[in-house]
Amino acid sequence: MGEQVKEIYNWARRRKIMAAFFVCLTLLVGIMIGSVVSGRVSAVKNTAFAGTNATPLALPDPIPSSNSFSGVVNRVEPAVVNIATTQVMEHRAPSARRKRSVPEDQDDPMQDFFDKFFDGQKEGPAQAERSLGSGVIVDKRGYILTNNHVVDQATKVQVQLNGETARYTAKVIGVDEDTDLAVLKIDAGRDLPTARLGNSDGVQVGDWVLAIGSPFGLQATVTAGIISAKDRGGIGHQFQRFLQTDAAINPGNSGGPLVSLGGDVIGINTAIITGSRGYEGVGFALPSTTAINVYNQIIAQGRVTRGSIGVSFQEDLGTNAITLKALGAPYGVVIEGVEPGSPAEKAGLKGGDVITSVNGTPVKSGNDLVNPISLAPIGSKVKLSYVRDRSQKETTATVEDRTRVFPNTAGRLGDQRGGEAAPAEFGLHVQELTPDRAHRVGMDTQKGVLVTEVEPASFAEDIGFAQRDVIAEVNRQAISSVEDYRNAIGKLKAGDSVVFKVLRHQDTDRVLTVFLPGVVPAEDKR
């Protein structure tokens, strides 16, 4: 047994010596391999660059990435100027006409646009206010077209030419508040670059356009967009019909050009509509056809003269299809009033007449009536066709200066108060038009029934009735008493069309003839 243990011990000892030998041999071989590889790597690193046969890249001459816009900008931008104005304002309390819901901000950049429609800020001492706008040179002698609201009430107007630091003091040649345009003049001592005004009548919705100006004082800024709509009304004054664009227009762009890809100025950027006091894709420019007419009159006589014959109307009521059908006219504009002593009165026109054509051209909108007369030379004659009592008639009127025909032009009729309440239909409370009542409401020679109250949210309020109106006819049936009125109303059924002929007194002692149309709803017939 002892001999067997001794043999096992000797065998384990021999195995241990052999294992140690193999470990040492493995380490030695590893060290030798590492030395060889390291030497080879070092040799590679120290090898010199042998060169390539690649061709070096060349820097090409500068070429515009697109010549569609850049060519237009290069032609027009030198004629676009920056306008800086200074006004010494005496602040007053804001009037009721200011209806913007945003809070007042003394440094509000949006003053460049719709703030022109309010007439005061907080009471306080007079102080200088500064604003920025744009303009476009249209005559090499230094005549510049811009917006009136850019220079309105300015005590100093300075113009900075494109690419220059010097400022030139500008003289205001004339302004036109109705279109918000102004003409300035600077003396630079040299011929200046100009932009060509095109014919905006050829512009189509969807055409590309560029707006160039100084938004936020950043000169020579160009934005691109399309014409979104044409002949857009209801934004400003009566004679403002805009090109709408989605080219970015911001505070400071006012007065700058809207340019076609042909390089022609087809509009003067004027206004935006926004809910965030910045650009939101809805901008407006005065068409170049309007700008050219205004510019030519201002440089010739210092002001703009517009013709008139002395009639007044409301677009929505005057062109209502129900009213026109009831009056026997296929189309036209129903006139509400005729100014005393005006050409229209001399021509025999009366409130309630439907003017259907001017000089043989059909009248289907307010513009169709106003534009040919306002553009006609003072003293010229216009031929008018009109419908009265369902009969077609014709007359001729002499065009006079609008400022003389309407020397005390007032705004639209406001709310009229007064009168007693009485039971009524359609939310209308009426009374007999006695001589005393007629005198109190300025209707001494008129017949009808007096509206004493209009109930809120009623059919009568919906179609436009006001207190102190006098109802003269219902569906062409003359009304002389409350009994006549109730008999006429009693004939109406839900779904019937009805047209009220209403006499309405203005503060200027004028009596307007207004037609109020509607469709009788079941819930309002009581």
Side-chain angles (χ1 to χ4, degrees), residues 12-24:
R13 184 178 180 186
R14 288 194 300 270
R15 293 289 302 269
K16 183 175 181 182
I17 294 171
M18 291 178 64
F21 171 78
F22 282 113
V23 170
C24 292

Side-chain angles (χ1 to χ4, degrees), residues 446-469:
Q446 307 297 337
K447 293 183 178 180
V449 293
L450 178 66
V451 176
T452 58
E453 183 182 351
V454 180
E455 295 178 2
S458 65
F459 173 66
E461 184 184 60
D462 289 343
I463 65 175
F465 269 102
Q467 289 177 329
R468 303 182 66 167
D469 282 347

Side-chain angles (χ1 to χ4, degrees), residues 290-504:
T290 301
I292 289 172
N293 176 266
V294 169
Y295 175 83
N296 288 342
Q297 290 196 57
I298 287 179
I299 63 172
Q301 58 194 27
R303 70 184 187 95
V304 176
T305 301
R306 292 186 174 85
S308 175
I309 59 173
V311 298
S312 58
F313 63 89
Q314 294 185 57
E315 178 86 20
D316 53 346
L317 295 177
T319 58
N320 184 276
I322 297 176
T323 300
L324 294 174
K325 182 179 180 180
L327 297 177
Y331 51 81
V333 172
V334 185
I335 59 176
E336 293 182 349
V338 176
E339 193 73 11
S342 67
E345 185 183 61
K346 295 174 184 176
L349 292 175
K350 298 179 180 179
D353 290 342
V354 185
I355 298 180
T356 57
S357 72
V358 177
N359 290 333
T361 302
V363 171
K364 297 184 179 181
S365 67
N367 281 342
D368 293 340
L369 173 59
V370 171
N371 289 347
I373 296 175
S374 65
L375 296 176
I378 305 303
S380 64
K381 296 183 181 296
V382 291
K383 184 178 179 181
L384 306 170
S385 297
Y386 65 98
V387 173
R388 178 187 296 169
D389 297 329
R390 307 180 75 84
S391 298
Q392 187 74 37
K393 301 179 183 295
E394 291 187 351
T395 189
T396 300
T398 301
V399 178
E400 294 184 6
D401 189 335
R402 182 170 176 266
T403 59
R404 301 193 179 199
V405 176
F406 294 100
N408 300 309
T409 302
R412 294 288 183 198
L413 287 173
D415 293 335
Q416 300 177 355
R417 306 297 178 192
E420 307 169 33
E425 295 82 9
F426 302 131
L428 276 174
H429 297 255
V430 299
Q431 287 184 339
E432 299 282 356
L433 188 64
T434 64
D436 179 61
R437 288 174 181 150
H439 179 72
R440 281 191 279 119
V441 298
M443 302 281 188
D444 293 291
T445 61
Q446 307 297 337
K447 293 183 178 180
V449 293
L450 178 66
V451 176
T452 58
E453 183 182 351
V454 180
E455 295 178 2
S458 65
F459 173 66
E461 184 184 60
D462 289 343
I463 65 175
F465 269 102
Q467 289 177 329
R468 303 182 66 167
D469 282 347
V470 170
I471 301 174
E473 293 181 7
V474 177
N475 280 350
R476 302 186 63 246
Q477 177 181 335
I479 303 298
S480 299
S481 64
V482 171
E483 183 180 0
D484 290 342
Y485 170 76
R486 296 198 185 283
N487 288 337
I489 293 298
K491 299 176 182 178
L492 298 175
K493 302 184 297 295
D496 286 349
S497 295
V498 60
V499 177
F500 294 88
K501 181 180 180 180
V502 173
L503 305 178
R504 183 171 289 170

